Amino acid sequence: MNLGADQKAEPGWLLPLICRRGGVTRNEVGAIRVGGSASEFQIAGEAAEDFALAAARPDPRAPHVVIERAHGSE
């Protein structure tokens, strides 16, 4: 995700964004790690494919947010 500490991102406000954008519940989101200019988070295996499809669509409420699968993740 292209939001990090530089944008004042915190796990507490990233979680609802992740859930809304990917159509998942908070129980399907694992660790959220906030970096400088980007953040990484885990999605439960059974929800990952549907999450990736949903998160790839533009979000009119947050068009600047880009969510991509991390390199090396499967």
Side-chain angles (χ1 to χ4, degrees):
M1 173 183 294
N2 67 335
L3 298 174
D6 295 345
Q7 294 79 29
K8 313 248 186 288
E10 297 176 1
W13 67 262
L14 289 177
L15 180 59
L17 173 67
I18 293 165
C19 291
R20 183 182 78 243
R21 182 75 175 264
V24 295
T25 67
R26 64 186 312 121
N27 293 331
E28 294 168 309
V29 180
I32 299 173
R33 292 178 185 84
V34 178
S37 61
S39 297
E40 294 185 353
F41 54 90
Q42 299 170 330
I43 299 294
E46 63 274 3
E49 188 173 330
D50 289 340
F51 178 89
L53 292 172
R57 291 187 221 115
D59 182 354
R61 291 173 58 184
H64 63 287
V65 176
V66 177
I67 298 176
E68 297 176 337
R69 180 172 274 185
H71 299 288
S73 299
E74 303 217 10

Short mmCIF file of all heavy atoms in Angstrom, two decimals:
data_model
loop_
_atom_site.label_atom_id
_atom_site.label_comp_id
_atom_site.label_asym_id
_atom_site.label_seq_id
_atom_site.Cartn_x
_atom_site.Cartn_y
_atom_site.Cartn_z
N MET A 1 0.85 -1.16 0.00
CA MET A 1 0.00 0.00 0.00
C MET A 1 0.90 1.23 0.00
O MET A 1 1.91 1.24 0.69
CB MET A 1 -0.89 -0.03 1.25
CG MET A 1 -1.71 1.21 1.43
SD MET A 1 -2.69 1.19 2.94
CE MET A 1 -3.80 -0.12 2.60
N ASN A 2 0.51 2.21 -0.76
CA ASN A 2 1.36 3.39 -0.92
C ASN A 2 1.13 4.45 0.17
O ASN A 2 1.36 5.62 -0.06
CB ASN A 2 1.18 4.00 -2.30
CG ASN A 2 -0.21 4.58 -2.50
OD1 ASN A 2 -1.17 4.18 -1.86
ND2 ASN A 2 -0.32 5.53 -3.41
N LEU A 3 0.74 4.04 1.35
CA LEU A 3 0.63 4.95 2.49
C LEU A 3 1.55 4.45 3.59
O LEU A 3 1.58 3.26 3.89
CB LEU A 3 -0.81 4.97 3.03
CG LEU A 3 -1.89 5.46 2.10
CD1 LEU A 3 -3.26 5.27 2.76
CD2 LEU A 3 -1.67 6.91 1.74
N GLY A 4 2.30 5.37 4.18
CA GLY A 4 3.21 4.99 5.25
C GLY A 4 3.31 6.09 6.28
O GLY A 4 2.49 7.01 6.32
N ALA A 5 4.32 6.01 7.11
CA ALA A 5 4.52 6.99 8.18
C ALA A 5 4.67 8.40 7.63
O ALA A 5 4.25 9.36 8.27
CB ALA A 5 5.75 6.60 9.01
N ASP A 6 5.22 8.53 6.42
CA ASP A 6 5.37 9.86 5.82
C ASP A 6 4.01 10.52 5.60
O ASP A 6 3.90 11.74 5.58
CB ASP A 6 6.08 9.78 4.47
CG ASP A 6 7.53 9.31 4.60
OD1 ASP A 6 8.07 9.32 5.73
OD2 ASP A 6 8.11 8.93 3.58
N GLN A 7 2.96 9.70 5.44
CA GLN A 7 1.60 10.20 5.27
C GLN A 7 0.80 10.08 6.58
O GLN A 7 -0.41 10.17 6.59
CB GLN A 7 0.86 9.41 4.16
CG GLN A 7 1.42 9.61 2.77
CD GLN A 7 2.69 8.79 2.52
OE1 GLN A 7 2.90 7.73 3.09
NE2 GLN A 7 3.56 9.32 1.67
N LYS A 8 1.52 9.85 7.67
CA LYS A 8 0.93 9.72 9.01
C LYS A 8 0.03 8.49 9.15
O LYS A 8 -0.89 8.47 9.95
CB LYS A 8 0.15 10.99 9.39
CG LYS A 8 0.89 12.28 9.12
CD LYS A 8 1.27 12.96 10.40
CE LYS A 8 1.88 14.33 10.19
NZ LYS A 8 3.17 14.39 9.65
N ALA A 9 0.32 7.45 8.37
CA ALA A 9 -0.46 6.21 8.43
C ALA A 9 -0.21 5.51 9.76
O ALA A 9 0.90 5.50 10.29
CB ALA A 9 -0.08 5.28 7.28
N GLU A 10 -1.27 4.91 10.29
CA GLU A 10 -1.21 4.11 11.50
C GLU A 10 -2.09 2.89 11.29
O GLU A 10 -3.10 2.97 10.59
CB GLU A 10 -1.74 4.89 12.70
CG GLU A 10 -0.94 6.13 13.03
CD GLU A 10 -1.56 6.93 14.17
OE1 GLU A 10 -2.60 6.50 14.72
OE2 GLU A 10 -1.00 7.97 14.50
N PRO A 11 -1.72 1.74 11.88
CA PRO A 11 -2.54 0.54 11.70
C PRO A 11 -4.01 0.75 12.02
O PRO A 11 -4.89 0.22 11.32
CB PRO A 11 -1.90 -0.48 12.66
CG PRO A 11 -0.47 -0.04 12.75
CD PRO A 11 -0.52 1.47 12.69
N GLY A 12 -4.31 1.55 13.02
CA GLY A 12 -5.69 1.76 13.43
C GLY A 12 -6.58 2.39 12.38
O GLY A 12 -7.77 2.09 12.30
N TRP A 13 -6.02 3.27 11.54
CA TRP A 13 -6.86 3.83 10.48
C TRP A 13 -6.63 3.16 9.13
O TRP A 13 -7.44 3.32 8.22
CB TRP A 13 -6.81 5.35 10.41
CG TRP A 13 -5.54 6.03 9.99
CD1 TRP A 13 -4.60 6.57 10.80
CD2 TRP A 13 -5.11 6.30 8.65
NE1 TRP A 13 -3.61 7.13 10.04
CE2 TRP A 13 -3.90 7.00 8.72
CE3 TRP A 13 -5.63 6.02 7.39
CZ2 TRP A 13 -3.20 7.42 7.60
CZ3 TRP A 13 -4.94 6.43 6.27
CH2 TRP A 13 -3.73 7.12 6.38
N LEU A 14 -5.58 2.37 9.01
CA LEU A 14 -5.41 1.58 7.79
C LEU A 14 -6.36 0.38 7.76
O LEU A 14 -6.84 0.00 6.69
CB LEU A 14 -3.97 1.09 7.65
CG LEU A 14 -2.92 2.14 7.34
CD1 LEU A 14 -1.53 1.51 7.32
CD2 LEU A 14 -3.21 2.86 6.03
N LEU A 15 -6.63 -0.21 8.92
CA LEU A 15 -7.47 -1.40 8.97
C LEU A 15 -8.84 -1.20 8.32
O LEU A 15 -9.22 -1.99 7.46
CB LEU A 15 -7.61 -1.90 10.41
CG LEU A 15 -8.47 -3.15 10.60
CD1 LEU A 15 -7.91 -4.33 9.80
CD2 LEU A 15 -8.58 -3.50 12.07
N PRO A 16 -9.61 -0.16 8.66
CA PRO A 16 -10.91 0.01 7.99
C PRO A 16 -10.77 0.23 6.48
O PRO A 16 -11.60 -0.24 5.70
CB PRO A 16 -11.51 1.25 8.66
CG PRO A 16 -10.76 1.44 9.92
CD PRO A 16 -9.41 0.81 9.72
N LEU A 17 -9.71 0.93 6.07
CA LEU A 17 -9.48 1.15 4.64
C LEU A 17 -9.20 -0.18 3.94
O LEU A 17 -9.76 -0.47 2.87
CB LEU A 17 -8.30 2.10 4.46
CG LEU A 17 -7.80 2.31 3.03
CD1 LEU A 17 -8.85 3.04 2.20
CD2 LEU A 17 -6.51 3.10 3.04
N ILE A 18 -8.37 -1.02 4.53
CA ILE A 18 -8.05 -2.33 3.96
C ILE A 18 -9.31 -3.18 3.85
O ILE A 18 -9.57 -3.79 2.81
CB ILE A 18 -6.98 -3.04 4.83
CG1 ILE A 18 -5.64 -2.30 4.74
CG2 ILE A 18 -6.83 -4.50 4.41
CD1 ILE A 18 -4.63 -2.70 5.81
N CYS A 19 -10.10 -3.19 4.91
CA CYS A 19 -11.33 -4.00 4.91
C CYS A 19 -12.31 -3.53 3.85
O CYS A 19 -12.86 -4.34 3.10
CB CYS A 19 -11.99 -3.96 6.29
SG CYS A 19 -11.06 -4.82 7.57
N ARG A 20 -12.53 -2.22 3.78
CA ARG A 20 -13.47 -1.68 2.80
C ARG A 20 -12.98 -1.93 1.37
O ARG A 20 -13.73 -2.39 0.52
CB ARG A 20 -13.66 -0.18 3.03
CG ARG A 20 -14.69 0.43 2.07
CD ARG A 20 -14.85 1.92 2.25
NE ARG A 20 -13.74 2.62 1.61
CZ ARG A 20 -12.86 3.38 2.22
NH1 ARG A 20 -12.92 3.55 3.53
NH2 ARG A 20 -11.89 3.98 1.57
N ARG A 21 -11.74 -1.64 1.14
CA ARG A 21 -11.18 -1.75 -0.21
C ARG A 21 -11.16 -3.18 -0.71
O ARG A 21 -11.43 -3.45 -1.87
CB ARG A 21 -9.77 -1.16 -0.20
CG ARG A 21 -9.07 -1.13 -1.53
CD ARG A 21 -9.64 -0.03 -2.42
NE ARG A 21 -8.89 0.04 -3.64
CZ ARG A 21 -7.88 0.89 -3.84
NH1 ARG A 21 -7.52 1.74 -2.92
NH2 ARG A 21 -7.24 0.87 -4.99
N GLY A 22 -10.86 -4.13 0.19
CA GLY A 22 -10.72 -5.51 -0.23
C GLY A 22 -11.91 -6.39 0.06
O GLY A 22 -11.90 -7.58 -0.26
N GLY A 23 -12.94 -5.82 0.68
CA GLY A 23 -14.13 -6.62 0.98
C GLY A 23 -13.86 -7.74 1.97
O GLY A 23 -14.40 -8.84 1.83
N VAL A 24 -13.03 -7.46 2.97
CA VAL A 24 -12.70 -8.47 3.98
C VAL A 24 -13.09 -7.94 5.36
O VAL A 24 -13.33 -6.75 5.54
CB VAL A 24 -11.20 -8.84 3.97
CG1 VAL A 24 -10.81 -9.52 2.68
CG2 VAL A 24 -10.32 -7.62 4.22
N THR A 25 -13.11 -8.85 6.33
CA THR A 25 -13.36 -8.45 7.71
C THR A 25 -12.03 -8.27 8.42
O THR A 25 -10.99 -8.73 7.94
CB THR A 25 -14.17 -9.52 8.46
OG1 THR A 25 -13.36 -10.70 8.61
CG2 THR A 25 -15.45 -9.88 7.72
N ARG A 26 -12.09 -7.63 9.57
CA ARG A 26 -10.86 -7.43 10.34
C ARG A 26 -10.22 -8.75 10.75
O ARG A 26 -9.02 -8.82 10.96
CB ARG A 26 -11.13 -6.54 11.55
CG ARG A 26 -12.09 -7.14 12.54
CD ARG A 26 -12.50 -6.21 13.68
NE ARG A 26 -11.38 -5.55 14.30
CZ ARG A 26 -11.23 -4.22 14.37
NH1 ARG A 26 -12.14 -3.43 13.90
NH2 ARG A 26 -10.17 -3.72 14.95
N ASN A 27 -11.02 -9.81 10.85
CA ASN A 27 -10.47 -11.12 11.22
C ASN A 27 -9.64 -11.72 10.09
O ASN A 27 -8.87 -12.66 10.33
CB ASN A 27 -11.60 -12.08 11.59
CG ASN A 27 -12.30 -11.67 12.85
OD1 ASN A 27 -11.71 -11.04 13.72
ND2 ASN A 27 -13.57 -11.99 12.96
N GLU A 28 -9.80 -11.23 8.87
CA GLU A 28 -9.03 -11.74 7.72
C GLU A 28 -7.77 -10.94 7.46
O GLU A 28 -7.00 -11.26 6.57
CB GLU A 28 -9.92 -11.76 6.48
CG GLU A 28 -11.07 -12.75 6.61
CD GLU A 28 -12.12 -12.61 5.54
OE1 GLU A 28 -12.61 -11.48 5.31
OE2 GLU A 28 -12.45 -13.64 4.92
N VAL A 29 -7.56 -9.89 8.25
CA VAL A 29 -6.36 -9.06 8.11
C VAL A 29 -5.40 -9.42 9.24
O VAL A 29 -5.78 -9.44 10.41
CB VAL A 29 -6.71 -7.55 8.19
CG1 VAL A 29 -5.45 -6.70 8.05
CG2 VAL A 29 -7.73 -7.18 7.12
N GLY A 30 -4.17 -9.71 8.86
CA GLY A 30 -3.14 -10.04 9.85
C GLY A 30 -2.35 -8.82 10.23
O GLY A 30 -2.87 -7.71 10.32
N ALA A 31 -1.06 -9.00 10.41
CA ALA A 31 -0.17 -7.93 10.82
C ALA A 31 -0.16 -6.79 9.80
O ALA A 31 -0.17 -7.02 8.60
CB ALA A 31 1.24 -8.47 11.00
N ILE A 32 -0.15 -5.57 10.30
CA ILE A 32 -0.01 -4.37 9.47
C ILE A 32 1.31 -3.73 9.87
O ILE A 32 1.51 -3.39 11.03
CB ILE A 32 -1.18 -3.39 9.70
CG1 ILE A 32 -2.52 -4.04 9.33
CG2 ILE A 32 -0.95 -2.10 8.90
CD1 ILE A 32 -3.74 -3.21 9.67
N ARG A 33 2.21 -3.58 8.91
CA ARG A 33 3.52 -2.98 9.18
C ARG A 33 3.62 -1.67 8.41
O ARG A 33 3.60 -1.66 7.18
CB ARG A 33 4.63 -3.93 8.74
CG ARG A 33 4.69 -5.17 9.60
CD ARG A 33 5.79 -6.13 9.14
NE ARG A 33 5.74 -7.35 9.89
CZ ARG A 33 4.94 -8.39 9.60
NH1 ARG A 33 4.13 -8.33 8.56
NH2 ARG A 33 4.96 -9.47 10.35
N VAL A 34 3.75 -0.58 9.14
CA VAL A 34 3.83 0.75 8.54
C VAL A 34 5.29 1.11 8.32
O VAL A 34 6.08 1.13 9.28
CB VAL A 34 3.14 1.80 9.43
CG1 VAL A 34 3.27 3.19 8.82
CG2 VAL A 34 1.67 1.44 9.64
N GLY A 35 5.64 1.37 7.08
CA GLY A 35 6.99 1.80 6.75
C GLY A 35 7.02 3.30 6.49
O GLY A 35 6.03 4.00 6.74
N GLY A 36 8.11 3.79 5.96
CA GLY A 36 8.24 5.21 5.70
C GLY A 36 7.25 5.75 4.70
O GLY A 36 6.46 6.63 4.99
N SER A 37 7.26 5.19 3.50
CA SER A 37 6.35 5.67 2.45
C SER A 37 5.36 4.62 1.99
O SER A 37 4.57 4.86 1.09
CB SER A 37 7.16 6.17 1.25
OG SER A 37 7.92 5.11 0.71
N ALA A 38 5.40 3.44 2.60
CA ALA A 38 4.48 2.36 2.22
C ALA A 38 4.23 1.48 3.44
O ALA A 38 4.99 1.50 4.40
CB ALA A 38 5.07 1.53 1.09
N SER A 39 3.13 0.75 3.37
CA SER A 39 2.80 -0.19 4.44
C SER A 39 2.52 -1.56 3.84
O SER A 39 2.10 -1.66 2.69
CB SER A 39 1.55 0.29 5.20
OG SER A 39 1.81 1.51 5.83
N GLU A 40 2.75 -2.58 4.62
CA GLU A 40 2.47 -3.96 4.21
C GLU A 40 1.53 -4.57 5.22
O GLU A 40 1.55 -4.21 6.41
CB GLU A 40 3.75 -4.77 4.13
CG GLU A 40 4.69 -4.30 3.03
CD GLU A 40 5.91 -5.19 2.88
OE1 GLU A 40 6.10 -6.12 3.70
OE2 GLU A 40 6.66 -4.97 1.94
N PHE A 41 0.69 -5.48 4.75
CA PHE A 41 -0.24 -6.15 5.64
C PHE A 41 -0.51 -7.54 5.10
O PHE A 41 -0.26 -7.82 3.93
CB PHE A 41 -1.55 -5.36 5.78
CG PHE A 41 -2.20 -5.02 4.47
CD1 PHE A 41 -3.13 -5.89 3.90
CD2 PHE A 41 -1.88 -3.87 3.79
CE1 PHE A 41 -3.72 -5.59 2.68
CE2 PHE A 41 -2.47 -3.56 2.58
CZ PHE A 41 -3.39 -4.43 2.03
N GLN A 42 -1.00 -8.39 5.98
CA GLN A 42 -1.29 -9.77 5.62
C GLN A 42 -2.79 -9.96 5.48
O GLN A 42 -3.57 -9.38 6.23
CB GLN A 42 -0.76 -10.71 6.69
CG GLN A 42 0.73 -10.62 6.89
CD GLN A 42 1.19 -11.39 8.12
OE1 GLN A 42 0.46 -11.53 9.09
NE2 GLN A 42 2.42 -11.87 8.07
N ILE A 43 -3.16 -10.81 4.52
CA ILE A 43 -4.55 -11.21 4.32
C ILE A 43 -4.60 -12.73 4.44
O ILE A 43 -3.73 -13.43 3.90
CB ILE A 43 -5.07 -10.78 2.93
CG1 ILE A 43 -5.02 -9.25 2.78
CG2 ILE A 43 -6.48 -11.31 2.67
CD1 ILE A 43 -5.95 -8.50 3.69
N ALA A 44 -5.60 -13.24 5.14
CA ALA A 44 -5.75 -14.69 5.31
C ALA A 44 -5.77 -15.37 3.94
O ALA A 44 -6.35 -14.85 2.98
CB ALA A 44 -7.03 -14.99 6.07
N GLY A 45 -5.13 -16.53 3.86
CA GLY A 45 -4.99 -17.26 2.61
C GLY A 45 -6.29 -17.48 1.86
O GLY A 45 -6.37 -17.29 0.65
N GLU A 46 -7.35 -17.87 2.59
CA GLU A 46 -8.63 -18.16 1.92
C GLU A 46 -9.29 -16.91 1.36
O GLU A 46 -10.15 -17.00 0.49
CB GLU A 46 -9.59 -18.89 2.86
CG GLU A 46 -10.01 -18.12 4.08
CD GLU A 46 -9.06 -18.22 5.27
OE1 GLU A 46 -8.00 -18.86 5.15
OE2 GLU A 46 -9.39 -17.65 6.32
N ALA A 47 -8.88 -15.72 1.80
CA ALA A 47 -9.48 -14.48 1.32
C ALA A 47 -8.57 -13.73 0.34
O ALA A 47 -8.99 -12.75 -0.27
CB ALA A 47 -9.80 -13.57 2.49
N ALA A 48 -7.33 -14.20 0.17
CA ALA A 48 -6.32 -13.44 -0.57
C ALA A 48 -6.68 -13.19 -2.03
O ALA A 48 -6.51 -12.08 -2.53
CB ALA A 48 -4.97 -14.14 -0.47
N GLU A 49 -7.18 -14.20 -2.73
CA GLU A 49 -7.47 -14.02 -4.16
C GLU A 49 -8.60 -13.02 -4.37
O GLU A 49 -8.49 -12.11 -5.19
CB GLU A 49 -7.82 -15.36 -4.80
CG GLU A 49 -7.94 -15.26 -6.31
CD GLU A 49 -8.12 -16.63 -6.96
OE1 GLU A 49 -7.61 -17.63 -6.42
OE2 GLU A 49 -8.77 -16.66 -8.01
N ASP A 50 -9.69 -13.17 -3.61
CA ASP A 50 -10.80 -12.22 -3.73
C ASP A 50 -10.37 -10.82 -3.30
O ASP A 50 -10.78 -9.83 -3.90
CB ASP A 50 -11.99 -12.68 -2.89
CG ASP A 50 -12.68 -13.91 -3.47
OD1 ASP A 50 -12.50 -14.18 -4.68
OD2 ASP A 50 -13.38 -14.60 -2.72
N PHE A 51 -9.53 -10.74 -2.28
CA PHE A 51 -9.03 -9.44 -1.83
C PHE A 51 -8.25 -8.77 -2.96
O PHE A 51 -8.45 -7.59 -3.24
CB PHE A 51 -8.12 -9.58 -0.60
CG PHE A 51 -7.55 -8.27 -0.17
CD1 PHE A 51 -8.23 -7.46 0.71
CD2 PHE A 51 -6.34 -7.82 -0.68
CE1 PHE A 51 -7.72 -6.23 1.09
CE2 PHE A 51 -5.82 -6.59 -0.32
CZ PHE A 51 -6.52 -5.79 0.58
N ALA A 52 -7.36 -9.51 -3.61
CA ALA A 52 -6.53 -8.93 -4.67
C ALA A 52 -7.39 -8.39 -5.81
O ALA A 52 -7.12 -7.31 -6.33
CB ALA A 52 -5.55 -9.98 -5.20
N LEU A 53 -8.43 -9.11 -6.17
CA LEU A 53 -9.33 -8.64 -7.23
C LEU A 53 -10.07 -7.37 -6.82
O LEU A 53 -10.15 -6.41 -7.58
CB LEU A 53 -10.34 -9.73 -7.61
CG LEU A 53 -9.76 -10.96 -8.29
CD1 LEU A 53 -10.82 -12.05 -8.43
CD2 LEU A 53 -9.18 -10.60 -9.65
N ALA A 54 -10.60 -7.36 -5.61
CA ALA A 54 -11.35 -6.20 -5.13
C ALA A 54 -10.44 -4.99 -4.94
O ALA A 54 -10.80 -3.86 -5.31
CB ALA A 54 -12.05 -6.54 -3.82
N ALA A 55 -9.26 -5.20 -4.38
CA ALA A 55 -8.35 -4.09 -4.09
C ALA A 55 -7.76 -3.48 -5.35
O ALA A 55 -7.33 -2.33 -5.33
CB ALA A 55 -7.23 -4.56 -3.17
N ALA A 56 -7.78 -4.21 -6.45
CA ALA A 56 -7.23 -3.69 -7.71
C ALA A 56 -8.17 -2.65 -8.34
O ALA A 56 -7.73 -1.84 -9.16
CB ALA A 56 -6.99 -4.83 -8.69
N ARG A 57 -9.44 -2.68 -7.96
CA ARG A 57 -10.39 -1.70 -8.50
C ARG A 57 -10.18 -0.34 -7.86
O ARG A 57 -9.90 -0.26 -6.66
CB ARG A 57 -11.83 -2.16 -8.24
CG ARG A 57 -12.21 -3.36 -9.03
CD ARG A 57 -13.70 -3.69 -8.86
NE ARG A 57 -13.81 -5.13 -8.74
CZ ARG A 57 -14.22 -5.79 -7.67
NH1 ARG A 57 -14.61 -5.16 -6.60
NH2 ARG A 57 -14.24 -7.10 -7.67
N PRO A 58 -10.36 0.74 -8.63
CA PRO A 58 -10.22 2.08 -8.04
C PRO A 58 -11.28 2.31 -6.97
O PRO A 58 -12.40 1.82 -7.06
CB PRO A 58 -10.45 3.02 -9.23
CG PRO A 58 -10.35 2.18 -10.45
CD PRO A 58 -10.63 0.77 -10.05
N ASP A 59 -10.92 3.05 -5.95
CA ASP A 59 -11.83 3.39 -4.86
C ASP A 59 -12.14 4.88 -4.95
O ASP A 59 -11.27 5.71 -4.71
CB ASP A 59 -11.17 3.06 -3.52
CG ASP A 59 -12.05 3.34 -2.32
OD1 ASP A 59 -13.15 3.90 -2.49
OD2 ASP A 59 -11.65 2.99 -1.20
N PRO A 60 -13.39 5.25 -5.26
CA PRO A 60 -13.72 6.67 -5.39
C PRO A 60 -13.53 7.44 -4.08
O PRO A 60 -13.30 8.65 -4.10
CB PRO A 60 -15.18 6.69 -5.83
CG PRO A 60 -15.69 5.31 -5.67
CD PRO A 60 -14.52 4.39 -5.56
N ARG A 61 -13.57 6.74 -2.94
CA ARG A 61 -13.38 7.42 -1.65
C ARG A 61 -11.91 7.66 -1.34
O ARG A 61 -11.59 8.50 -0.49
CB ARG A 61 -14.02 6.59 -0.53
CG ARG A 61 -15.54 6.58 -0.64
CD ARG A 61 -16.19 5.65 0.34
NE ARG A 61 -15.87 5.95 1.72
CZ ARG A 61 -16.28 5.22 2.74
NH1 ARG A 61 -17.01 4.14 2.54
NH2 ARG A 61 -15.95 5.54 3.98
N ALA A 62 -11.02 6.93 -2.00
CA ALA A 62 -9.58 7.09 -1.78
C ALA A 62 -8.84 6.77 -3.09
O ALA A 62 -8.11 5.79 -3.16
CB ALA A 62 -9.11 6.20 -0.65
N PRO A 63 -9.03 7.60 -4.12
CA PRO A 63 -8.44 7.28 -5.43
C PRO A 63 -6.91 7.29 -5.44
O PRO A 63 -6.30 6.68 -6.31
CB PRO A 63 -9.00 8.35 -6.36
CG PRO A 63 -9.41 9.47 -5.46
CD PRO A 63 -9.78 8.84 -4.14
N HIS A 64 -6.29 7.94 -4.47
CA HIS A 64 -4.83 8.02 -4.41
C HIS A 64 -4.18 6.79 -3.79
O HIS A 64 -2.97 6.62 -3.86
CB HIS A 64 -4.42 9.26 -3.61
CG HIS A 64 -4.88 9.21 -2.18
ND1 HIS A 64 -6.21 9.38 -1.83
CD2 HIS A 64 -4.21 8.98 -1.03
CE1 HIS A 64 -6.32 9.27 -0.52
NE2 HIS A 64 -5.13 9.02 0.00
N VAL A 65 -4.97 5.92 -3.20
CA VAL A 65 -4.43 4.74 -2.52
C VAL A 65 -4.25 3.59 -3.51
O VAL A 65 -5.18 3.21 -4.21
CB VAL A 65 -5.35 4.29 -1.35
CG1 VAL A 65 -4.81 3.02 -0.72
CG2 VAL A 65 -5.47 5.40 -0.32
N VAL A 66 -3.05 3.06 -3.55
CA VAL A 66 -2.71 1.95 -4.43
C VAL A 66 -2.36 0.75 -3.55
O VAL A 66 -1.50 0.85 -2.67
CB VAL A 66 -1.52 2.30 -5.36
CG1 VAL A 66 -1.15 1.10 -6.22
CG2 VAL A 66 -1.85 3.51 -6.21
N ILE A 67 -3.03 -0.38 -3.81
CA ILE A 67 -2.73 -1.61 -3.08
C ILE A 67 -2.28 -2.65 -4.09
O ILE A 67 -3.00 -2.94 -5.05
CB ILE A 67 -3.97 -2.11 -2.30
CG1 ILE A 67 -4.39 -1.07 -1.27
CG2 ILE A 67 -3.67 -3.47 -1.65
CD1 ILE A 67 -5.66 -1.43 -0.52
N GLU A 68 -1.10 -3.18 -3.88
CA GLU A 68 -0.54 -4.20 -4.77
C GLU A 68 0.01 -5.34 -3.94
O GLU A 68 0.46 -5.13 -2.80
CB GLU A 68 0.60 -3.62 -5.61
CG GLU A 68 0.17 -2.51 -6.54
CD GLU A 68 1.34 -1.90 -7.28
OE1 GLU A 68 2.49 -1.99 -6.80
OE2 GLU A 68 1.09 -1.33 -8.34
N ARG A 69 0.01 -6.53 -4.52
CA ARG A 69 0.60 -7.68 -3.85
C ARG A 69 2.10 -7.47 -3.75
O ARG A 69 2.76 -7.04 -4.69
CB ARG A 69 0.30 -8.95 -4.66
CG ARG A 69 0.89 -10.20 -4.05
CD ARG A 69 0.41 -11.41 -4.74
NE ARG A 69 -0.86 -11.77 -4.13
CZ ARG A 69 -1.55 -12.85 -4.42
NH1 ARG A 69 -1.11 -13.68 -5.33
NH2 ARG A 69 -2.67 -13.11 -3.82
N ALA A 70 2.66 -7.76 -2.60
CA ALA A 70 4.10 -7.60 -2.39
C ALA A 70 4.86 -8.60 -3.25
O ALA A 70 4.41 -9.71 -3.47
CB ALA A 70 4.45 -7.82 -0.92
N HIS A 71 6.01 -8.20 -3.73
CA HIS A 71 6.84 -9.08 -4.54
C HIS A 71 7.24 -10.30 -3.72
O HIS A 71 7.59 -10.19 -2.55
CB HIS A 71 8.09 -8.36 -5.03
CG HIS A 71 7.77 -7.18 -5.90
ND1 HIS A 71 7.28 -7.31 -7.18
CD2 HIS A 71 7.82 -5.87 -5.65
CE1 HIS A 71 7.07 -6.13 -7.68
NE2 HIS A 71 7.40 -5.22 -6.77
N GLY A 72 7.12 -11.47 -4.33
CA GLY A 72 7.48 -12.69 -3.64
C GLY A 72 6.34 -13.31 -2.87
O GLY A 72 6.47 -14.37 -2.32
N SER A 73 5.17 -12.62 -2.80
CA SER A 73 4.01 -13.17 -2.10
C SER A 73 3.19 -14.00 -3.05
O SER A 73 3.08 -13.71 -4.22
CB SER A 73 3.14 -12.03 -1.56
OG SER A 73 3.86 -11.26 -0.66
N GLU A 74 2.62 -15.07 -2.53
CA GLU A 74 1.79 -15.93 -3.36
C GLU A 74 0.55 -16.31 -2.63
O GLU A 74 0.45 -16.43 -1.49
CB GLU A 74 2.56 -17.17 -3.76
CG GLU A 74 3.82 -16.74 -4.46
CD GLU A 74 4.19 -17.65 -5.58
OE1 GLU A 74 3.41 -18.51 -5.98
OE2 GLU A 74 5.29 -17.51 -6.08
#
